[in-house]
Amino acid sequence: MLDFIQQFVSGTALGCVYGLIALGFVLIYKATEVVNFAQGELMMVGGFFVFTFIGLLGLNYWIGFALAVLGMAAFGMVTERLIIRPILGYPQFSIVMATIGLGYFLRSLAGMIWGTDDLKIDTPFSDGVLKIGDLVLAHDKLSVIVATLILCVVLYFFFLKTRMGTAMRATSENMLAAYYMGIPVKTVVSLIWAISAAVACCAGVLLAPITFIHSNVGLALGLKAFPAAVLGGFGSIPGALVGGVIIGVLETMAGFYLAQGWKDVVPYLVLLAVLLLKPAGLFGLQLRKKV
Amino acid sequence: MSYFKVDAITLRFGGLVAVDAVSFEIEKGEIFTIIGPNGAGKTSIFNLISRLYNPTSGRLYFEGRDITELAPHEIARLGIARTFQNIELFDNASMLANLLVGRHCHTKTKLWQEMLFLPSVRAAEKAHRHMVEEIIEFLDLQPYRDKIIAGLPYGVRKVVELARALCSEPKLILLDEPSSGLNVEETTDMSFWIRDIRTELGITVLMVEHDMSLVNRVSDRVLALNYGKVLTLGTPAEVQNHPDVIAAYLGA
Amino acid sequence: MRFTFKTDYDQDIRIVKHGGYVWSYGVLLALLALAPFVLSSYLQSQMVFVFIYAIVGVALMILTGFTGQASIGHAAFLAIGAYTAGYMQSKGIPFVVYFPLAAVLTGGIGVIVGFPALRLHGIYLVIATIAFGLIVEEVLARWESVTHGNEGMRVKALDILGWVMPRDGAAFYVLTLLTLVGVLVVALNLLRSPTGRAFIAIRDSETAAKSMGIDLAGYKVKSFAISAAITGLAGALFAHKMSFISPEMFTLLLSIEFIMVIIIGGAFGLHGAVMGAVFMVMIDPVLTELKDGLPGAAGRFFGMAGMKGAIYGLIIMMFILFEPLGLYGRWLKIKLFFQLFPLYKKATFKRQKTYVKSERNR
């Protein structure tokens, strides 16, 4: 039982990271119907930013964190401006391929700049454990879960209560109508990319104490975040997080209780099963084309 | 038994009743029009007939056969073709390819024969092409054979869609707002064609139309709908002067 | 500019539209057949890879370019073809049996993948095919009795009824070329018959296709099966070319390379599949050439680890941004430029942009 709880907590922590990456997918998808296959790479670049600020420049953790998030937000905006905006309105598959290309590019570039070794960052949560009776929970895992919850609450209020959040929701519903109503759609889309990249960066920073940072970490985690996003319905922000947690827990449990090899396959088997039973995901809406 | 019969068909989207127990019958060789204000459920009825929507209740009969449970592609095979309100053509293909798709329900060649393009496939292709050419002649589409649809003007695309439906040699054709987006001359052409479709090709026509002058010129009978319910059924003149119809349109 | 007067329906049906093409393609084919006697063994070997990539390109073109069903899982089909060939050869089954069988078996898997794909659209389908590819990769690594797991599997030289074709020989080159030509002819035949038109109809409007009597489910599954089967053929040849196969050869990245083939080539015609394959395979030798040929820092720059990946990434983005019609589109533009000289205008190929056309509502 103790094992189970421990596995459950680490699964949830991992799932939160998946969920944050999936959240990035969903934000961008809702606004522009672009699936950003480079979302995992954005997280990876965020991790490297943090490593540069904290590991190389020796800044304080929180300052480094803040700088990295801001830097990634700017990075997201630039990416949107350079690569996505010119091709918005092309067939969806072309845009998907462009983001795959972006992912390739970032992965190789990061490898060239920061090398291909595993890097480690020291954070306030790196060691230290929380003991409840016999239960031992590592701070790094707990920090991921807590930070994710905080981030969600912030995003929730941003989307529901602020003017810009409302504009973003309007743009997601109907871009053309939003444009007619005087919403600066281009700025909104730019900002959505910024937020999405910033969220990815948070995921990267939170992940740092748990695994090493490596140029391929984005690909591996990004691929796991797809099932999470699909499970959540690809259009639903809470869905993405729930989906992420489901995938994270399943994966950890499979790694602990099943034979070797299952761990990597289980998320995809679940994904295929969900797609078969509910093609629009657990929280998705099935919309119909009007003829 | 009538030629085509809609029996108390109902369509619900959640709480909204789009089509409410609508019944009507069409005789062979008739031009039958459905009119009604926006949102009256006209296109929904078309989508029910071509089986894009599943009715909540009610049945559909064509030539005495119950077609309520058939798959959409089987409907075409029975001889029911349709056009769409907002034009659903294959945009990145040539007009010829579009019209040849109209012949699809008459395809008999097997996949492996097509892979090798056996003489039987070639012969079948020529026969299809011959039929398509007749429709091209009928609707004066000669200049556009090899043109890609995406580059054609709206009016021409509307005619191409009609041509594609005719290529399937239907017995019953459903026209969803054939004149929408057309100018006065094009609408006049359309009205001649609709009559020719009935008299020369012997096809029964069921259409949805807003343009009352076109309706008056071609229709034998008119069905008026509002909020998914039948208001009245009769000749164009009768329906136009019916108090409920006037009320529905003028909101009195 | 050439105008063809059409006097017979056959002119629209036949594969070569006019006499000039018979000559140009004939000469091309003759040159390719003679190439093994001229080219260095390295270039000849690269040409074999071009043919294999082109076969997969044609397969993807049928599925993605013509039927509009995206797949980022074709490396899995290639793997299934390759392992079928390797396993059956080791069990003593002759090439003439296992070569077609690789296609049939992979086609069968294609049907199994195709059925769930029926309910999926756009991005969901892309993700499902990725999942399929990853699962196959894992199965190959674990099913050791057949695949020898991560250790990989040796594949002996190809042997047609006693005629051994070493993987670097001219005979193997010609066999691959012939397979490509055969696959191209079959694809062209499909495109000029009802099945090909049904594929295009499904790509452009599923609703209209249904109403015109096209059985969506049937044709989508057919498209998956044909595409998978062709990829299976390529897989069998790939296994013999590599002479050693292991699961890490058939990763997601290979699937992406295949997609790049058709995007770079131009996803609207079979020419694109071949041109894209040439481009993708020849990046490698060009890069090596740059690394060794350029002096000092420039040479070191191209020799950096990960350079290939970065260049791949840049190329995909550049093509989608600036040359969305691919190499074949560029070729057509250049041809038209000379045919119309000096009247060519850029707007001829300009695409109308839509203001984010929603693909959510199907």
Side-chain angles (χ1 to χ4, degrees), chain B residues 105-166:
Chain B
C105 50
H106 298 282
T107 308
K108 289 183 188 65
T109 47
K110 299 270 184 300
L111 181 63
W112 66 271
Q113 296 170 325
E114 291 174 8
M115 281 181 171
L116 303 172
F117 215 76
L118 297 181
S120 62
V121 179
R122 183 178 292 267
E125 279 297 296
K126 280 190 178 172
H128 289 321
R129 178 67 191 271
H130 188 74
M131 179 64 206
V132 165
E133 287 296 334
E134 276 181 15
I135 301 294
I136 289 179
E137 189 89 350
F138 180 71
L139 295 177
D140 292 333
L141 286 169
Q142 292 90 341
Y144 309 110
R145 279 192 193 92
D146 292 323
K147 295 273 191 303
I148 301 294
I149 296 295
L152 292 178
Y154 189 87
V156 176
R157 280 191 271 169
K158 204 91 194 170
V159 182
V160 174
E161 207 188 21
L162 176 63
R164 185 182 64 187
L166 290 177

Side-chain angles (χ1 to χ4, degrees), chain B residues 8-54:
Chain B
I9 202 131
T10 301
L11 176 68
R12 279 202 191 90
F13 292 119
L16 177 81
V17 187
V19 179
D20 192 359
V22 170
S23 300
F24 59 89
E25 293 180 16
I26 303 174
E27 300 305 324
K28 192 170 167 51
E30 192 176 18
I31 298 180
F32 190 97
T33 309
I34 303 178
I35 63 166
N38 287 329
K42 307 177 298 284
T43 299
S44 292
I45 290 181
F46 269 30
N47 287 343
L48 284 167
I49 295 174
S50 50
R51 302 287 304 108
L52 298 178
Y53 292 166
N54 284 318

Side-chain angles (χ1 to χ4, degrees), chain B residues 165-220:
Chain B
L166 290 177
C167 282
S168 68
E169 295 179 69
K171 297 173 194 157
L172 170 67
I173 190 167
L174 316 179
L175 305 176
D176 199 345
E177 300 195 14
S179 80
S180 73
L182 300 186
N183 63 29
V184 181
E185 283 167 50
E186 288 168 332
T187 308
T188 317
D189 281 347
M190 191 56 89
S191 72
F192 287 132
W193 278 324
I194 292 172
R195 262 185 290 185
D196 285 351
I197 288 170
R198 187 252 306 262
T199 46
E200 284 182 27
L201 304 177
I203 298 170
T204 309
V205 179
L206 169 59
M207 70 175 184
V208 162
E209 185 51 62
H210 277 302
D211 185 334
M212 284 315 287
S213 67
L214 176 64
V215 173
N216 288 334
R217 257 179 286 164
V218 303
S219 314
D220 296 319

Side-chain angles (χ1 to χ4, degrees), chain C residues 49 56 60 131 164 205 227 292 331:
Chain C
F49 281 113
V56 182
L60 260 182
V164 179
S205 167
S227 180
D292 299 338
W331 166 253

Side-chain angles (χ1 to χ4, degrees), chain C residues 56-80:
Chain C
V56 182
V58 171
L60 260 182
M61 196 65 86
I62 291 173
L63 184 65
T64 304
F66 294 123
T67 321
Q69 310 296 308
S71 160
I72 309 193
H74 260 54
F77 292 127
L78 191 82
I80 293 166

Side-chain angles (χ1 to χ4, degrees), chain B residues 117 122 125, chain C residues 13-15 188-194 197:
Chain B
F117 215 76
R122 183 178 292 267
E125 279 297 296
Chain C
I13 291 175
R14 68 182 184 201
I15 288 184
L188 285 170
N189 281 343
L190 277 180
L191 286 179
R192 57 183 173 151
S193 44
R197 287 193 298 266

